[in-house]
Amino acid sequence: AAFPAGTLAPPPTPHLFSDPAEIGSLRGNLLAWYDRCKRDLPWRTLAATEPDADRRAYAVWVSEIMLQQTQVATVIDYYNRWMQKWPTLQALAQASLEEVNELWAGLGYYSRGKRLQEAAKKVVSELAGQMPRTAEDLQKLLPGVGRYTAGAIASISYGQATGVVDGNVIRVLCRLRCIGADSNSPAVIDQLWDMANALVDRSRPGDFNQALMELGATVCTPKAPLCGECPVKQHCRAWRRKLFGKSTPVPDVEDCGVGSCPLCPPPTEPWDSSLGVTNFPRKAAKKQPRVERTATCVLERKGCHGALEYLIVQRPSSGLLAGLWEFPSLLLAQDLQEEKQREVLADHLRAWTGWPVAAGGLQFIGEVVHIFSHIHQTYVVYSLHLDGDVTLDPTLFPSRWVTEEEFHASAVSTAMKKVL
Ligand code: SF4
């Protein structure tokens, strides 16, 4: 078929939902399952019971930002504490960044908290405290709110019939429709958004979106999906393909074209029957994380009440772990011998504290490995006990002495807690 110049051919039908009856049945099955099996989560309760639209949108927004790259079980406690401390946008807009970092400590990807607070300030100062009312405006007007978060807030808080695509949805849709092309590629992502928008239930969009994500999180999981319990298995082409295999002449479970279909697996990576439905989705090989080593020194002294105190310093206000506190640390050059490591760290501490820190006085404690999203970080941990009163030049960088209890209540990263 010929298509107008500048437009792409629609994808082959095996990868689409084109039958309205099937779409209706999938919506019904998924929502019925969700009503039966959904997890009881604090943001769901707020979204269902809060009568004020701005408060509702704020409650969903906070949950969505916290849930990015973080497990539900971890988020619940943080979410409850956050909503108790800042139940409204207005309250959050008045918080300090230090308070936000303290509450966020341990949740990871720290810029999320900072951006949330900046965006709340913007809503209060520039939008008269009113949250934008559509996905389009949320994305356009709120810093840090991308297409997914905007769609989630608008569908869950306002009932706008707009779809969402996150990691869970990508997995479910790729399996439902045997999409085996690189699921991170813009062409595939665009297709999935179109599909999510077409599928979303018109009368219960928020529940439908949450149901699709919940299905991905609890049933259609990455490695061991529970297809036997899946409420939409009769719509799932990956499952049918697993049952019937490729050689069986079931038309809609065949690849749709040899090498030419933009949504099929590449010809070099055909269906692997040992993988079953987990053939989908496929991702291009991930970039290897950068490998770094950082020397860090736990400086301790006896405080005036006899308890040990530790020196922590604040990181710069931009970049990785912006504004968080840590033990004095120094990124090490590659392949530095242990002896040399100790020397550069001692030099660094001398310059900082003005104390005659000798390399031999640093006690090697051990190594701590922490994986950030794109960095494989090894902290080489030393400790040093100081006997006198050390005062650091406050104009150099913020620093303070803290007890162990104060350390845990400070805005410190999970990596630093491991170091301690
Ligand atoms: Fe996922 Fe299996 Fe359900 Fe298909 S049948 S959507 S692969 S859990």
Side-chain angles (χ1 to χ4, degrees):
F3 297 94
T7 62
L8 291 174
T13 41
H15 300 302
L16 292 180
F17 284 94
S18 39
D19 174 5
E22 186 186 17
I23 293 176
S25 143
L26 183 141
R27 288 172 178 162
N29 293 338
L30 189 61
L31 284 167
W33 168 81
Y34 183 69
D35 290 339
R36 242 183 9 255
C37 302
K38 70 169 180 262
R39 291 171 292 180
D40 220 359
L41 300 170
W43 46 91
R44 287 188 177 155
T45 310
L46 275 172
T49 55
E50 171 57 60
D52 180 86
D54 289 312
R55 280 184 169 228
R56 213 162 53 229
Y58 168 68
V60 173
W61 183 16
V62 173
S63 72
E64 289 299 338
I65 300 291
M66 285 190 172
L67 286 165
Q68 286 167 9
Q69 283 122 343
T70 310
Q71 300 283 331
V72 167
T74 311
V75 165
I76 292 175
D77 179 46
Y78 282 88
Y79 182 81
N80 287 335
R81 282 189 289 127
W82 181 287
M83 295 306 289
Q84 206 168 11
K85 194 165 170 107
W86 302 300
T88 61
L89 275 164
Q90 286 71 11
L92 178 60
Q94 284 172 10
S96 72
L97 180 57
E98 186 68 16
E99 288 176 294
V100 168
N101 276 340
E102 278 173 10
L103 201 146
W104 204 275
L107 200 53
Y109 298 90
Y110 294 89
S111 58
R112 294 179 297 169
K114 184 178 171 199
R115 285 220 302 269
L116 190 52
Q117 203 247 355
E118 285 166 357
K121 275 189 185 156
K122 181 174 175 179
V123 177
V124 170
S125 64
E126 295 176 28
L127 305 174
Q130 206 196 44
M131 288 284 284
R133 287 288 190 265
T134 62
E136 295 70 24
D137 283 350
L138 285 160
Q139 191 180 349
K140 199 163 68 197
L141 297 173
L142 297 187
V145 170
R147 192 174 180 185
Y148 163 77
T149 309
I153 299 173
S155 60
I156 299 170
S157 323
Y158 308 141
Q160 184 185 348
T162 186
V164 295
V165 173
D166 74 341
N168 283 320
V169 173
I170 289 175
R171 185 167 57 257
V172 174
L173 294 182
C174 283
R175 288 176 180 168
L176 286 175
R177 280 304 176 260
C178 284
I179 295 174
D182 175 7
S183 64
N184 287 330
S185 72
V188 171
I189 294 289
D190 278 353
Q191 272 308 323
L192 296 175
W193 273 100
D194 286 351
M195 199 184 284
N197 282 328
L199 285 180
V200 66
D201 188 86
R202 276 24 189 183
S203 57
R204 297 178 60 191
D207 284 346
F208 180 88
N209 286 337
Q210 292 184 87
L212 204 53
M213 293 189 275
E214 184 105 334
L215 187 77
T218 61
V219 175
C220 194
T221 54
K223 293 202 178 107
L226 307 168
C227 299
E229 299 170 23
C230 177
V232 294
K233 58 179 176 289
Q234 69 272 38
H235 307 290
C236 181
R237 296 211 156 121
W239 187 65
R240 292 177 67 180
R241 180 155 178 180
K242 179 182 168 223
L243 290 187
F244 299 119
K246 193 179 174 202
S247 53
T248 310
V250 180
D252 66 359
V253 298
E254 294 286 343
D255 279 348
C256 50
V258 185
S260 62
C261 170
L263 297 179
C264 274
T268 49
E269 294 172 40
W271 169 267
D272 176 348
S273 54
S274 71
L275 294 177
V277 298
T278 64
N279 272 282
F280 307 105
R282 295 212 182 181
K283 292 184 183 141
K286 243 187 158 173
K287 240 173 75 186
Q288 286 300 314
R290 197 164 79 224
V291 174
E292 285 186 357
R293 287 174 74 78
T294 294
T296 188
C297 186
V298 181
L299 278 160
E300 58 177 41
R301 69 173 188 191
K302 204 164 243 175
C304 39
H305 302 297
L308 278 181
E309 292 181 343
Y310 306 97
L311 181 73
I312 53 174
V313 295
Q314 193 172 27
R315 291 179 61 87
S317 57
S318 61
L320 183 72
L321 307 173
L324 265 68
W325 295 78
E326 65 182 10
F327 297 115
S329 300
L330 181 69
L331 186 63
L332 294 167
Q334 292 294 328
D335 303 327
L336 214 56
Q337 298 293 322
E338 207 275 321
E339 207 178 314
K340 197 78 194 132
Q341 259 170 216
R342 199 184 278 267
E343 271 173 34
V344 291
L345 182 60
D347 286 349
H348 186 63
L349 294 170
R350 256 196 308 276
W352 251 4
T353 60
W355 263 61
V357 177
L362 294 174
Q363 192 191 348
F364 174 67
I365 302 293
E367 295 192 347
V368 166
V369 173
H370 190 81
I371 314 288
F372 294 97
S373 53
H374 55 294
I375 302 173
H376 184 286
Q377 182 68 262
T378 302
Y379 291 96
V380 187
V381 184
Y382 292 87
S383 88
L384 179 66
H385 188 87
L386 298 177
D387 281 324
D389 189 21
V390 185
T391 36
L392 300 174
D393 181 353
T395 58
L396 271 181
F397 43 78
S399 62
R400 61 181 207 251
W401 288 94
V402 290
T403 61
E404 186 169 350
E405 202 183 357
E406 289 163 346
F407 173 86
H408 284 289
S410 302
V412 290
S413 66
T414 304
M416 283 299 125
K417 289 185 179 169
K418 286 195 208 166
V419 166
L420 185 65

